[in-house]
Amino acid sequence: MSTQVSETSAGLSDRINALEASATLAMAAKARELRAEGKDIIGLSLGEPDFNTPDFIKDAAIQAVNDNYNSYTPVDGYVELKDAIITKFKRDNDLTYDRSQIVVSTGAKQALYNIAQVYLNPGDEVLLPCPYWVSYSDIVKLSGGVPVEVKTSINTDFKITAEQLENAITPKTKMLWYSSPCNPSGSIYSKEELRALADVLQKYPDVIVVSDEIYEHINYVGGHASMAQFEDMYNRTVTVNGVAKAFAMTGWRIGYIGAPKAIARACNKIQGQVTSGANCIAQRAVITALEAPVSKIQYMVDEFKERRSLILKLLSEIPGFECNEPEGAFYVFPDISHYFGKTLQGQTIENATDFSMFLLEKANVATVTGIAFGNGNCIRISYAASTEQIIEAIRRIKETLS
């Protein structure tokens, strides 16, 4: 007797049926589909540097191949890589960790998933300052937690205040998650702003913090601050980082955490049952990346800063786009609610998703709806693209909207 699996979602787990697809990946897939149909689509949707991985890192990978690194790696990473991460944390963040507090994962996304899986029980609440990276909410849900959005606006540079944090905490609050520099807004929390949040958290000793610092080095104002730098928050903070953004290594898939020992041990345990250790060649290359002075990647940051100035200038010339100046990362997050309720080329724009799809279909420019990031008034535009592409994309948008 044979059983045929249905082509619908019937029979699949409630877990997967309730899961949203990543909005950034979905838009990228839609853009590829339209390109395959012959349309000239400019992609400003993915959070991926358009630079090649630096040669000194590629050379280290080639050397690792020639040195016959091909075996399973330790679940939590090579000792040499953990030592390089420890040195990096001390050098760049004034954070002191030992090997038992470091776990290397297949990208920072897996690191975040590990944390949620080992720390959340059903019904536990996780505070997400809006806007937040698209996967935070669904990672929390997959782990049985409840994402709680804390709204911000362009008027506060998309950052939460101590008062908002205080008002959002309930007896069910288990964690606060945020990124700085932020994806999608590019906002950066200063040391003083983090201290104000930490002061609130002193009243709630059971709440831990997940600080996503993957964009740390793409910073145009200097002075990156980490929550774990505060002595009274060190044992309550998991610092998440990786090499994808600053080193143009998105496909190498290496992320890592510095964490309280119990959380690191738990992340190591769950990873051992899911993926085990991260790729051996990528790990060897990342040792070289992290041991190098940060100045070796400054050329990319300088270029991103120039593009930021360019795209802000061009967007300021389009009526209905309200932008603040992002301090880091490589995104702008304009408020486009001016267009809600309006009819453009026969299409009524009800929300940010409508607007983003309108730009894709009419201007041939791929962006991402802000709804996916917890802010329905905005869209995310990546300027990890060439100057020529940015100029042409914004020209198309301006012409289409006019």
Side-chain angles (χ1 to χ4, degrees), residues 174-295:
K174 195 74 175 286
M175 293 197 282
L176 165 67
W177 281 28
Y178 71 91
S179 60
S180 179
C182 176
N183 175 4
S185 70
S187 301
I188 295 177
Y189 285 93
S190 68
K191 189 172 184 178
E192 293 72 25
E193 288 167 334
L194 290 180
R195 182 65 255 177
L197 299 179
D199 287 342
V200 172
L201 292 171
Q202 295 314 301
K203 307 174 192 176
Y204 307 94
D206 295 330
V207 178
I208 72 162
V209 173
V210 176
S211 176
D212 180 351
E213 303 181 16
I214 191 75
Y215 291 92
E216 167 192 10
H217 293 307
I218 307 176
N219 180 325
Y220 312 123
V221 295
H224 177 81
S226 299
M227 182 68 83
Q229 289 175 324
F230 302 122
E231 186 176 348
D232 54 7
M233 291 303 299
Y234 176 81
N235 287 320
R236 298 172 53 188
T237 301
V238 183
T239 306
V240 180
N241 213 319
V243 294
K245 310 300 182 178
F247 294 90
M249 296 178 71
T250 51
W252 297 69
R253 309 309 303 136
I254 298 292
Y256 55 85
I257 62 170
K261 291 183 180 181
I263 294 177
R265 192 162 52 242
C267 288
N268 186 24
K269 182 179 180 181
I270 194 171
Q271 190 164 294
Q273 294 289 12
V274 180
T275 60
S276 295
N279 178 278
C280 58
I281 304 303
Q283 286 199 52
R284 303 312 299 186
V286 171
I287 294 170
T288 296
L290 293 183
E291 288 179 342
V294 177
S295 59

Side-chain angles (χ1 to χ4, degrees), residues 355-398:
F355 190 78
S356 188
M357 290 305 299
F358 175 81
L359 295 183
L360 179 64
E361 294 168 358
K362 302 297 185 182
N364 289 342
V365 176
T367 61
V368 188
T369 172
I371 291 174
F373 302 97
N375 186 315
N377 288 333
C378 301
I379 60 172
R380 191 189 77 172
I381 303 175
S382 168
Y383 52 89
S386 70
T387 297
E388 293 74 21
Q389 286 180 310
I390 292 170
I391 292 171
E392 173 60 15
I394 306 307
R395 184 198 67 77
R396 292 181 186 182
I397 291 173
K398 183 177 182 180

